[in-house]
Amino acid sequence: MKQASFLCYCLGIVCLLSGTWVQAEDPYRYFTWEVTYGTVSPLNKPQRGILINKQFPGPPIDAVTNDNILVNVINKLDVPFLITWNGIKQRRTSWQDGVLGTQCPIPPNSNWTYKFQVKDQIGTYNYFPSIGMQRVAGGYGAFNVDQRSVISKPYPEPFEEFTLLVSDWYNTDFKILEKNLDKGTPLPLPDGLLINGLPSGRAVFTGLKDKLYKFRISNVGIAVAINFRIQGHTMTLIEVEGAHTLQEVYESLDVHVGQSVTVLVRLRAPLTKDYFIVASSRFTKPILTTTAILKYAGSTTRATKPLPVGPTYHLHWSMKQARTMRLNLTANAARPNPQGSFHYGTIKVMRTIFLTNTAAKINGKLRYAINSISYVDPPTPLKLADWYNVHGVFKLNSVPDKPTNTTPVLAPGVLAFQLHDFVEIILQNSEYTVQSYHMDGSSFYIAGYGNGPWTPAMRRRYNVADTLPRHTVQVYPVSWTAILVSLDNKGMWNLRSAIWSRRYLGQQLYMRVWNDEKSLYTEADPPPNVLFCGLAKKA
């Protein structure tokens, strides 16, 4: 009897624990997206756009930390297609990153399902097509990750939130833009700016007087940095690309290509009327400007000009503002521990990489390069070649750690790292235009900005206490930006220009983060639905 009772007790405990494990599994969110062409006219000129479920921009993804995301993408275009998840780290799942270096494209008239987890992330992100110049035609959308209810927010709870996708727009078909770039013709200035795919004055955001609102703002364009401001209102910065910030108040904010910020705005203007929301281009001639409307509920009075004035060519102003954005060291992020508990400034740097961007002619045509390597995608994705030991696709460390005086060449450039390497990367801009760089797979700490050439003495100027971790950073003309990154996510990761014509013409590379241990704790196996192409078809 005692033995039987003990057995029943054990079985009860097992059942209880099993039930707990099932309940503890993180939620799943399922999406089915049909990608098609459709006619859009954002600047009053009908042209071919890329729609998702007949929407432009595409449908938003609203998730919570650690949610599992499954997106079945049905490609109804006449060209291969991929979606990349801008800022989503893809912990252990570089297979799902959605770029040609990690996976084969989805062929026309077929489908493929992405499956990944927004592991230990919060923040404002977005998604977009990654092949060629497709993102110029649309296919982009918002990807917002809220924190779990058990994690406190370091700011007052807003009454409601709004998402604003600011993009530049060309009144030219994306395939024509690709042909022009293939001929070596640089892209001109965009024809205009949009907010949520709409022309100036068409997007309307309605709120109640004296209520607090969260604005999620992303620059999903391909060419120009923007300055964002709201007539008659100030903005309190609370989050940048997944990190809570010190809550500084701004009248306007620079948001460079590929970047995202989140602000709080209280509707306490003295008059119940409409106000302009303004986005204007930075460092361009002429200045491009678009507006949306902030409408106080019950208002019958339209917004009136003049628009609030923003900076135009002021480079020093922009760099100075960037330095004011600091990490809130006492705030919780996706986990209950303070996000400032990672003391990046005390970690020994294992390797310094010095990357310089250049424009060059290769075979008589315009190309862009990093350390004399102008990237080209091989028919076989780098990740597949690496995993299945397919030889002849790429060479490790084909991008040198420092710039050389050699003639730029076409190659699939790859830097090799060991898992958990702590690396200093100097992004040196030798050109007279603002650059913007994005890193997949990891956030990096922005140690510093400066004019002119970087030297080791610049390290004395680094912020080693409370700088922001970001996935995208600007590099000012003839200037440098230094970043520190802990490469703790195993995989093959794209480091690229967020200015898409430059990426298209070679200003990108891949970072192979690796160790010899095969473990599901550090990297997932290829998904069951992995696509094969190129030499990997024979793997």
Side-chain angles (χ1 to χ4, degrees), residues 112-125:
W112 196 77
T113 300
Y114 290 89
K115 181 181 178 182
F116 56 89
Q117 187 179 25
V118 285
K119 180 67 174 171
D120 292 336
Q121 283 192 261
I122 61 153
T124 299
Y125 307 102

Side-chain angles (χ1 to χ4, degrees), residues 72-360:
N72 180 23
V73 176
I74 304 169
N75 180 16
K76 293 291 187 179
L77 306 182
D78 59 351
V79 290
F81 186 77
L82 282 176
I83 288 179
T84 191
W85 316 94
N86 198 46
I88 303 301
K89 293 182 181 179
Q90 300 293 349
R91 303 293 301 182
R92 306 184 308 113
T93 54
S94 63
W95 307 99
Q96 312 286 337
D97 201 30
V99 289
L100 286 174
T102 59
Q103 65 180 111
C104 300
I106 306 168
N109 297 311
S110 65
N111 74 296
W112 196 77
T113 300
Y114 290 89
K115 181 181 178 182
F116 56 89
Q117 187 179 25
V118 285
K119 180 67 174 171
D120 292 336
Q121 283 192 261
I122 61 153
T124 299
Y125 307 102
N126 51 79
Y127 64 84
F128 53 78
S130 68
I131 296 179
M133 297 297 290
Q134 293 173 6
R135 61 178 296 189
V136 177
Y140 58 80
F143 197 136
N144 300 324
V145 184
D146 203 2
Q147 57 208 73
R148 294 172 291 164
S149 59
V150 295
I151 307 297
S152 61
K153 295 179 180 178
Y155 52 83
E157 185 68 32
F159 183 72
E160 193 178 349
E161 67 178 50
F162 303 123
T163 297
L164 289 83
L165 302 175
V166 184
S167 63
D168 39 42
W169 187 259
Y170 288 85
N171 283 328
T172 307
D173 189 85
F174 77 93
K175 290 188 177 181
I176 295 176
L177 294 178
E178 288 179 350
K179 290 180 180 179
N180 290 341
L181 288 169
D182 291 340
K183 294 175 183 177
T185 304
L187 291 189
L189 190 69
D191 294 297
L193 300 180
L194 311 175
I195 295 178
N196 290 355
L198 296 171
S200 191
R202 292 283 298 280
V204 179
F205 304 90
T206 302
L208 298 173
K209 188 174 176 63
D210 295 323
K211 295 294 185 181
L212 187 67
Y213 290 85
K214 179 191 286 187
F215 284 73
R216 297 181 181 269
I217 306 147
S218 292
N219 184 342
V220 295
I222 66 132
V224 298
I226 60 110
N227 180 266
F228 182 88
R229 50 206 184 271
I230 303 176
Q231 186 182 42
H233 297 74
T234 57
M235 303 174 289
T236 302
L237 185 68
I238 59 169
E239 179 254 325
V240 169
E241 294 165 18
H244 290 125
T245 65
L246 294 181
Q247 294 173 23
E248 301 287 349
V249 177
Y250 297 88
E251 292 186 351
S252 72
L253 279 169
D254 278 359
V255 187
H256 293 266
V257 180
Q259 293 184 342
S260 297
V261 300
T262 305
V263 299
L264 292 180
V265 178
R266 190 172 293 279
L267 304 195
R268 54 186 175 194
L271 298 178
T272 300
K273 60 185 290 289
D274 298 350
Y275 294 86
F276 283 113
I277 298 171
V278 184
S280 58
S281 62
R282 293 285 268 121
F283 325 118
T284 65
K285 295 181 181 180
I287 303 298
L288 305 175
T289 302
T290 190
T291 63
I293 301 298
L294 174 59
K295 187 180 192 64
Y296 277 55
S299 165
T300 58
T301 305
R302 291 187 175 183
T304 55
K305 294 183 177 181
L307 299 178
V309 176
T312 53
Y313 313 112
H314 310 89
L315 287 166
H316 180 70
W317 184 97
S318 182
M319 189 182 294
K320 185 177 179 180
Q321 183 186 79
R323 292 188 180 117
T324 67
M325 298 181 184
R326 300 295 184 90
L327 186 64
N328 185 341
L329 297 178
T330 63
N332 298 328
R335 292 186 174 189
N337 55 301
Q339 60 183 11
S341 59
F342 181 74
H343 300 291
Y344 68 93
T346 64
I347 302 173
K348 182 180 179 181
V349 171
M350 300 177 181
R351 183 176 170 189
T352 295
I353 310 291
F354 195 104
L355 302 178
T356 298
N357 56 275
T358 54

Side-chain angles (χ1 to χ4, degrees), residues 2-16:
K2 289 184 178 180
Q3 188 175 12
S5 299
F6 179 76
L7 180 60
C8 290
Y9 174 79
C10 291
L11 288 173
I13 291 296
V14 170
C15 291
L16 177 62

Side-chain angles (χ1 to χ4, degrees), residues 332-530:
N332 298 328
R335 292 186 174 189
N337 55 301
Q339 60 183 11
S341 59
F342 181 74
H343 300 291
Y344 68 93
T346 64
I347 302 173
K348 182 180 179 181
V349 171
M350 300 177 181
R351 183 176 170 189
T352 295
I353 310 291
F354 195 104
L355 302 178
T356 298
N357 56 275
T358 54
K361 282 194 173 182
I362 301 178
N363 299 326
K365 297 179 181 179
L366 173 67
R367 295 285 301 187
Y368 298 103
I370 298 175
N371 289 6
S372 299
I373 303 297
S374 184
Y375 186 88
V376 289
D377 281 302
T380 308
L382 307 179
K383 183 62 187 173
L384 291 184
D386 195 34
W387 186 272
Y388 293 104
N389 295 314
V390 179
H391 300 288
V393 175
F394 69 93
K395 293 181 179 179
L396 292 176
N397 289 322
S398 51
V399 178
D401 282 12
K402 295 181 180 180
T404 65
N405 294 323
T406 58
T407 302
V409 296
L410 303 173
V414 178
L415 285 169
F417 300 92
Q418 289 293 308
L419 183 64
H420 302 303
D421 275 359
F422 189 75
V423 179
E424 176 187 43
I425 300 177
I426 312 301
L427 301 169
Q428 181 75 56
N429 182 8
S430 61
E431 300 179 66
Y432 291 91
T433 58
V434 176
Q435 304 291 320
S436 187
Y437 280 94
H438 171 85
M439 182 185 292
D440 284 346
S442 299
S443 291
F444 47 75
Y445 287 86
I446 303 171
Y449 308 90
N451 300 117
W454 181 90
T455 66
M458 303 299 181
R459 293 191 177 109
R460 294 196 295 267
R461 296 161 52 182
Y462 283 6
N463 177 350
V464 294
D466 63 351
T467 192
L468 285 178
R470 303 191 72 154
H471 58 66
T472 304
V473 67
Q474 69 274 20
V475 191
Y476 295 98
V478 195
S479 299
W480 57 268
T481 296
I483 63 176
L484 300 170
V485 57
S486 177
L487 297 172
D488 60 355
N489 193 10
K490 193 172 176 180
M492 186 75 71
W493 305 110
N494 195 203
L495 174 62
R496 60 177 178 258
S497 173
I499 300 171
W500 214 247
S501 61
R502 298 185 72 98
R503 179 188 189 266
Y504 182 87
L505 291 179
Q507 193 172 318
Q508 60 170 313
L509 55 84
Y510 279 82
M511 304 170 65
R512 180 189 187 253
V513 181
W514 185 254
N515 68 358
D516 291 333
E517 178 190 11
K518 187 174 182 181
S519 169
L520 295 179
Y521 289 103
T522 56
E523 185 173 31
D525 286 337
N529 62 341
V530 64

Side-chain angles (χ1 to χ4, degrees), residues 33-50:
W33 288 355
E34 185 175 80
V35 183
T36 61
Y37 291 127
T39 301
V40 296
S41 306
L43 294 180
N44 299 317
K45 179 182 177 182
Q47 63 190 96
R48 177 169 58 178
I50 293 178

